[in-house]
Amino acid sequence: MPWDFETEPDYQAQLDWADQFVREEVEPLDLLWDGLQFTPPDDNLRRVLDPLKKEVRAHGLWATHLGPELGGAGHGQVRLCLLNEILGRSSWAPIVFGCQAPDTGNAEILAHYGTEAQQERYLRPLLDGEIFSCYSMTEPQAGADPKEFTTRAVRDDGGTSRSSAAESGGGWVVNGWKYFSSNARTAAFFIVMAVTDPDGDPYKSMSMFLIPAETPGIVIERNVALAGEPEERGSHALVHYKDVRVPADALLGGEGQAFVIAQTRLGGGRIHHAMRTIGLAGKAFDMMCERALSRHTQGTVLADKQFVQGHIADSWAQLQQFRLTVLHTAWKIDKYNDYRKVRKDIAMVKVLLPGVLHDIAHRAIQVHGALGVSGDMPLFRMLLGASVLGIADGPTEVHKVTVARQVLRDHRASDDLWPSGYLPRRLAAARAKYAEFLEPGAEAR
């Protein structure tokens, strides 16, 4: 079995270029156009972005997670992880490299389940960075539990019966409410998960629909801002779908396939969040080390203080453990090409993710003192981001349950009253096995 911890020299050279490119050319965008990452660029901003994207394409690093037939490099998840570690440092970098959330996950399910016509209409411009998308799944009353969803899509039979409409391939009418539909206000289209068979198996009762943003009946009631953001920056929409009519070809995948599609989309989204978090947590770690070596107090630099050394050691260990776990999970995805087989691993990195970012950002804040909690440093936003990532794509507690259930499948209950590790019984068995080598009377001791 091949096993190595080195990156191929050719790809490492690409990563080295990407690292310098992001630091020198892309990170300044975070300061000048903060909050505009998912807003269609005006002519002025396009003059900045287009040359950067062109350079990324020239270096073969545009949308590398997708195959050549879709304009990507088909690098797979391990290589994407190594790249995302760099891109995670900057909020603009994923957009410049064509792999931003939520569009990467949406592109993935379009690539897997979309028809040729759907891919031409939605996927191509999405991959070109010309449009943005919205994944509209969560509901106000249901949170992350799809079995509690009430948004409905019924056959638009034009007055005919349900069965005759189904036979004629008629369209659909969508009604319901969705919450935290990110980037809804700037998205060109929505991917909406709706109940199409309320009396069926909960895991086969829902379907997904591709709905253009200009479709009548889509009402964005309000855009919710995260804590600390000004209200006008809100990008997580409460959406009312009110008699939204769509044609039959708006269905993504087959009827009743929404749950399967969602797992594909969310599995990719969760591991990609983890990849980028390596970079973001690493950025906080670098800031902490720089501050420890630069700041003097009570006669020496902070780096000489044992408490600070403890912060650095704990953070480095935590970051390295997390990085290797994410890389191993990415390797498994590439190996099996089946998110279901890696469900436990993806859930595990999703559980670890917010804690790693929170702990390292919090320690970095402590080392920076009052400066760390000020708006002059990005550390407090990272701390808030850790809380957001603990909820996005399913709360941490749900993923812990998934991990536990998956782990327990590989174990079994004891056969009787005593655990298998019960020492008196194990000792008796050991004595019986090696009785001929024991001194007389040893079995009585």
Side-chain angles (χ1 to χ4, degrees), residues 84 132 168 207 237 382 418:
N84 263 332
F132 299 105
S168 64
S207 304
M382 294 182 189
W418 303 110

Side-chain angles (χ1 to χ4, degrees), residues 63-92:
T64 62
H65 57 297
L66 295 174
E69 72 281 2
L70 295 173
H75 279 173
Q77 299 298 319
V78 170
R79 285 192 168 196
L80 180 63
C81 184
L82 296 171
L83 178 61
N84 263 332
E85 291 176 358
I86 297 169
L87 306 189
R89 298 175 56 90
S90 163
S91 57
W92 269 102

Side-chain angles (χ1 to χ4, degrees), residues 258-400:
F259 196 85
V260 174
I261 296 174
Q263 289 306 307
T264 299
R265 188 242 178 255
L266 293 171
R270 289 160 183 156
I271 189 66
H272 296 166
H273 276 314
M275 294 172 183
R276 287 186 290 267
T277 298
I278 297 171
L280 190 58
K283 186 173 184 176
F285 179 74
D286 291 342
M287 291 179 183
M288 175 167 45
C289 292
E290 180 190 69
R291 183 67 169 178
L293 291 167
S294 306
R295 180 72 166 180
H296 286 73
T297 182
Q298 297 187 7
T300 63
V301 293
L302 288 175
D304 291 337
K305 314 300 182 185
Q306 288 183 334
F307 259 115
V308 174
Q309 291 170 353
H311 286 333
I312 292 170
D314 289 342
S315 298
W316 186 84
Q318 202 171 4
L319 183 59
Q320 292 304 308
Q321 291 164 6
F322 180 62
R323 179 176 186 257
L324 290 174
T325 301
V326 175
L327 279 167
H328 187 215
T329 302
W331 175 81
K332 283 187 173 183
I333 296 172
D334 285 343
K335 177 180 175 64
Y336 297 117
N337 195 30
D338 186 347
Y339 282 112
R340 291 172 297 180
K341 290 187 177 181
V342 198
R343 186 181 178 191
K344 173 179 63 179
D345 305 86
I346 292 175
M348 178 175 62
V349 297
K350 182 63 172 62
V351 168
L352 296 174
L353 184 162
V356 170
L357 181 56
H358 170 277
D359 292 350
I360 295 176
H362 184 264
R363 295 183 193 118
I365 288 173
Q366 290 297 110
V367 173
H368 281 78
L371 181 62
V373 296
S374 74
D376 287 349
M377 296 295 292
L379 294 169
F380 201 82
R381 288 179 64 175
M382 294 182 189
L383 202 62
L384 174 61
S387 296
V388 174
L389 289 170
I391 297 171
D393 290 344
T396 298
E397 293 80 3
V398 170
H399 293 292
K400 285 186 177 181

